[in-house]
């Protein structure tokens, strides 16, 4: 009876989720634009030797670009949220053996898709470096065999940041975090379901501040992962968007627009303030919730904008991987030659998008995704479908 009640409650939580697949793709589109802006203008040395034409002091450009690091917590939130929803669709009240098989299949399939896609683009980028930046591979991994081969394989598997080994470009660090998210979220979900939301979040906060994490990036986003799991489990975004402070629909929208806008501004000031380092994990756990609620209520209903953001979201992973090679390794002068920040951002986005589309066409030509699906089927254990 108790397990049946839990199943009904979880089904109710997962019904009519406003932050579904389309919205998560749109948010990825928002996040990838913020990410490109962050990388382009974080500090003056990002565009050293180039001329920027600004209509305001350079300090504000760098300040906003620094705040743009929130793109990472947006991606973390999306990943934790989506994986939790997948867990919620599974029957976790089954016997321990079947549950273990189901979770194992889910983890293995996600890891194969994540690392398979990364490795494909990684190898293409290495090939590009051979022609466009000769010496970069040997400069990164060295020339001593088999050390250089080991470093290369570790980087291709997204583990360079975890093992502190050489990496082709610094932005690949995120894949270590992405792997950890896939491993952590199922454990978080099972714990949340067993002890409840308030005890779970209390425990995550305590762990975040009382335990020293060897991996600093995991410390930064550990709390964000927990918040993403809770928001998915409690259907928080949908409940907030549907909540009415006043009877009038127009008045309610106006009130929430200003509440969310002011909250985001205050959080930006706090995040970039003197306690940025000490409370980094707090700001980057709260900010994604505010942004998701704002976007789902006001941004993702605009027809043309929604289609554009969704399209960018589909290719966001590839854009993330290729954009810094275009920006800083291969075509630095060309990228910043457009002088105006918005134009620089637009050109970089379009170039990265075109290259990303070409990569997906090549995958299709080579039947690469079917190849990954074969691997997933081989790794899947019986009676543990996910």
């Amino acid at each position: 009876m108790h397990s049946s009640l839990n199943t009904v409650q979880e089904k109710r939580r997962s019904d009519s989720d406003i932050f579904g697949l389309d919205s998560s793709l749109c948010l990825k589109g928002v996040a990838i634009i913020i990410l490109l802006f962050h990388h382009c203008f974080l500090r003056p040395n990002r565009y050293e030797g180039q001329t920027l034409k600004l209509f305001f002091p350079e300090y504000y450009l760098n300040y906003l670009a620094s705040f743009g690091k929130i793109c990472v917590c947006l991606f973390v939130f999306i990943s934790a949220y989506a994986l939790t929803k997948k867990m919620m669709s599974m029957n976790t009240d089954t016997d321990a053996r079947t549950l273990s098989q189901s979770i194992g299949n889910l983890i293995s399939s996600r890891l194969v898709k994540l690392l398979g896609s990364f490795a494909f683009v990684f190898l293409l980028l290495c090939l590009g470096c051979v022609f466009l930046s000769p010496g970069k591979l040997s400069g990164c991994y060295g020339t001593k065999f088999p050390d250089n081969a080991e470093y290369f394989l570790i980087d291709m598997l997204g583990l360079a940041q975890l093992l502190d080994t050489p990496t082709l470009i610094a932005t690949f660090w995120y894949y270590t975090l992405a792997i950890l998210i896939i491993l952590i979220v199922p454990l978080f979900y099972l714990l949340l379901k067993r002890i409840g939301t308030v005890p779970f979040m209390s425990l995550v906060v305590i762990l975040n501040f009382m335990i020293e994490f060897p991996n600093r990036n995991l410390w930064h986003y550990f709390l964000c992962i927990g918040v993403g799991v809770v928001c998915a489990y409690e259907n928080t975004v949908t409940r907030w968007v549907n909540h009415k402070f006043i009877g009038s629909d127009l008045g309610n929208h106006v009130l929430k627009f200003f509440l969310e806008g002011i909250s985001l501004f205050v959080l930006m000031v706090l995040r970039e303030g003197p306690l940025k380092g000490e409370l980094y994990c707090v700001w980057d756990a709260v900010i994604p919730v505010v942004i998701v609620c704002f976007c789902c209520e006001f941004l993702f209903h605009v027809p043309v904008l929604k289609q554009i953001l969704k399209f960018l979201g589909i290719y966001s992973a590839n854009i993330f991987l290729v954009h810094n090679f275009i920006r800083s390794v291969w075509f630095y002068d060309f990228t910043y030659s457009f002088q105006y920040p918005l134009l620089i951002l637009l050109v970089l986005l379009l170039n990265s998008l075109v290259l990303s589309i070409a990569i997906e066409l090549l995958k299709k030509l080579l039947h690469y995704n079917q190849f990954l699906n074969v691997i997933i089927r081989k790794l899947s254990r019986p009676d543990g479908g996910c």
Side-chain angles (χ1 to χ4, degrees), residues 35-267:
L35 180 141
L36 266 61
F37 178 73
H38 168 69
H39 283 162
C40 282
F41 308 111
L42 175 59
R43 290 183 294 271
N45 64 359
R46 291 293 174 103
Y47 44 86
E48 188 176 2
Q50 307 295 322
T51 301
L52 293 188
K53 293 186 177 179
L54 301 172
F55 303 105
F56 48 85
E58 184 182 37
Y59 167 80
Y60 294 110
L61 177 70
N62 299 148
Y63 184 92
L64 290 174
S66 176
F67 180 67
K69 185 66 181 287
I70 60 165
C71 60
V72 177
C73 64
L74 292 177
F75 284 120
V76 170
F77 183 89
I78 294 168
S79 299
Y81 194 100
L83 196 51
T84 302
K85 286 295 182 181
K86 186 64 179 179
M87 288 287 298
M88 291 173 67
S89 70
M90 296 165 48
N91 182 12
T92 55
D93 293 319
T94 186
D95 63 275
R97 176 181 169 81
T98 304
L99 177 60
S100 174
Q101 290 175 339
S102 297
I103 294 174
N105 289 344
L106 176 62
I107 291 173
S108 62
S109 66
R110 292 297 173 110
L111 287 177
V112 168
K113 289 176 183 177
L114 175 76
L115 297 180
S117 298
F118 173 64
F120 187 87
V121 181
F122 176 86
L123 292 173
L124 289 178
L125 291 171
C126 289
L127 183 62
C129 285
V130 171
F131 296 100
L132 297 173
S133 51
K136 184 168 179 59
L137 293 177
S138 58
C140 175
Y141 304 117
T143 56
K144 183 182 177 182
F145 185 83
D147 296 14
N148 53 1
E150 291 178 10
Y151 291 148
F152 180 87
L153 289 173
I154 289 171
D155 204 11
M156 189 175 71
L157 293 174
L159 297 172
Q161 200 268 336
L162 181 66
L163 300 177
D164 197 24
T165 54
T167 184
L168 194 59
I169 201 162
T171 42
F172 287 172
W173 73 265
Y174 181 78
Y175 276 81
T176 289
L177 180 61
I179 292 169
L180 293 174
I181 291 171
I182 293 172
L183 299 176
I184 289 171
V185 167
L187 300 176
F188 269 16
Y189 172 73
L190 294 175
L191 180 62
L192 168 62
K193 191 179 175 188
R194 178 171 291 273
I195 68 175
T197 300
V198 174
F200 170 77
M201 280 309 305
S202 300
L203 180 60
V204 171
V205 171
I206 291 169
L207 290 174
N208 212 146
F209 285 100
M210 296 300 291
I211 295 178
E212 185 175 350
F213 287 68
N215 187 292
R216 190 67 176 172
N217 287 314
L218 180 58
W219 179 82
H220 282 165
Y221 301 106
F222 189 76
L223 187 56
C224 181
I225 296 170
V227 169
V229 171
V230 167
C231 285
Y233 186 72
E234 296 291 352
N235 213 6
T236 304
V237 177
T238 301
R239 290 165 63 185
W240 171 261
V241 171
N242 291 336
H243 180 74
K244 289 190 175 183
F245 289 99
I246 55 178
S248 167
D249 285 341
L250 177 60
N252 189 66
H253 283 310
V254 171
L255 177 60
K256 289 168 82 173
F257 182 89
F258 280 105
L259 279 175
E260 291 165 5
I262 292 169
S263 297
L264 189 57
F265 176 79
V266 171
L267 286 167

Side-chain angles (χ1 to χ4, degrees), residues 28-42 46 61 64-65 68-69 71-72 75 171 312 315-324 326-327 335-336 341-353 356:
K28 286 182 180 180
V30 171
I32 204 66
I33 293 172
I34 296 173
L35 180 141
L36 266 61
F37 178 73
H38 168 69
H39 283 162
C40 282
F41 308 111
L42 175 59
R46 291 293 174 103
L61 177 70
L64 290 174
K69 185 66 181 287
C71 60
V72 177
F75 284 120
T171 42
L312 292 175
Y315 295 99
S316 59
N318 287 346
I319 293 173
F320 168 78
L321 291 172
V322 305
H323 81 278
N324 258 343
I326 295 172
R327 182 192 69 83
T335 300
Y336 288 102
L342 287 179
L343 194 53
I344 291 168
L345 179 63
L346 179 61
V347 170
L348 178 59
L349 179 62
L350 290 176
N351 288 336
S352 302
L353 177 62
S356 298

